[in-house]
Amino acid sequence: MNKQRIIVAALFLAPAACGGKAEQPNADSAVAVTPSAAATATTPAPTLPPDSNPSCEHNGAWATCTLEKRLKQSGFVVKRLNEPRLRRAGFGVAPIIYSLGQSRMEVFIYRDSVALARDFAELDTLTAGPRGTASQWGEIPPALLRSANVLAVVLTTNQRQSERLMLSITAGPPQRGSPR
């Protein structure tokens, strides 16, 4: 008889010792919960990494967020300038203007590569402007970069930085399924 009391006591105390409750709910207080409701009630929502953006998907086309992320991954300190986004002659979209140390870059993100190709066909690649016009970029000769749906005009006297920018942009936008 004593042995039975020890076993019964152990059954009630074991859950309490493991952090559970020693009491069993009575039949009146039990609530039926469907498995899917239980899973959603107890499963926390997935958290995104701090630098991720759900609208910034990898789809083979550049977006502002994918371009900025690529530049940061390439070691650039990217600072978007809050200058007025005035249209440049020869470009069908307004630029996003960046400061990259001593350099300046104006990025034109087109809806798709077809729209970019129409503008690019009319540009003088040496002046980064319409054919037959003077440079609209000032004293520093522009370097024109093209990749998928992006045209970028880089204004720098630093050849190494110009080459690094060219490599990071012309490598292409993130493709479907790529982790970066």
Side-chain angles (χ1 to χ4, degrees):
M1 191 80 158
N2 224 358
K3 199 174 194 180
Q4 286 179 336
R5 285 185 188 171
I6 293 173
I7 292 174
V8 171
L11 289 173
F12 281 106
L13 294 175
C18 296
K21 293 184 178 178
E23 300 176 8
Q24 297 292 327
N26 64 28
D28 296 337
S29 67
V31 178
V33 179
T34 61
S36 62
T40 57
T42 60
T43 305
T47 57
L48 297 172
D51 63 336
S52 69
N53 179 346
S55 66
C56 195
E57 58 190 44
H58 295 182
N59 59 9
W62 288 107
T64 304
C65 51
T66 55
L67 180 74
E68 289 175 358
K69 185 174 182 180
R70 173 71 58 83
L71 292 172
K72 288 175 186 174
Q73 288 172 337
S74 298
F76 291 101
V77 176
V78 180
K79 181 180 177 189
R80 190 185 312 190
L81 302 178
N82 291 327
E83 296 180 11
R85 292 182 57 182
L86 304 174
R87 293 197 181 239
R88 293 279 192 172
F91 296 87
V93 296
I96 301 167
I97 304 166
Y98 294 100
S99 169
L100 303 164
Q102 300 283 328
S103 304
R104 176 183 173 98
M105 181 170 69
E106 294 194 21
V107 177
F108 303 85
I109 301 179
Y110 287 82
R111 179 178 34 85
D112 55 33
S113 59
V114 176
L116 179 143
R118 280 193 297 271
D119 281 357
F120 190 76
E122 302 299 319
L123 290 177
D124 180 339
T125 57
L126 295 177
T127 62
R131 288 192 181 104
T133 62
S135 177
Q136 59 186 328
W137 306 101
E139 294 179 23
I140 299 174
L144 185 63
L145 305 176
R146 178 183 180 185
S147 175
N149 62 317
V150 160
L151 279 175
V153 176
V154 179
L155 303 167
T156 186
T157 56
N158 184 330
Q159 290 300 96
R160 179 175 290 171
Q161 190 172 47
S162 180
E163 184 178 347
R164 286 180 53 221
L165 281 167
M166 180 196 66
L167 291 172
S168 50
I169 293 172
T170 59
Q175 300 299 308
R176 290 186 200 284
S178 72
R180 298 174 44 146

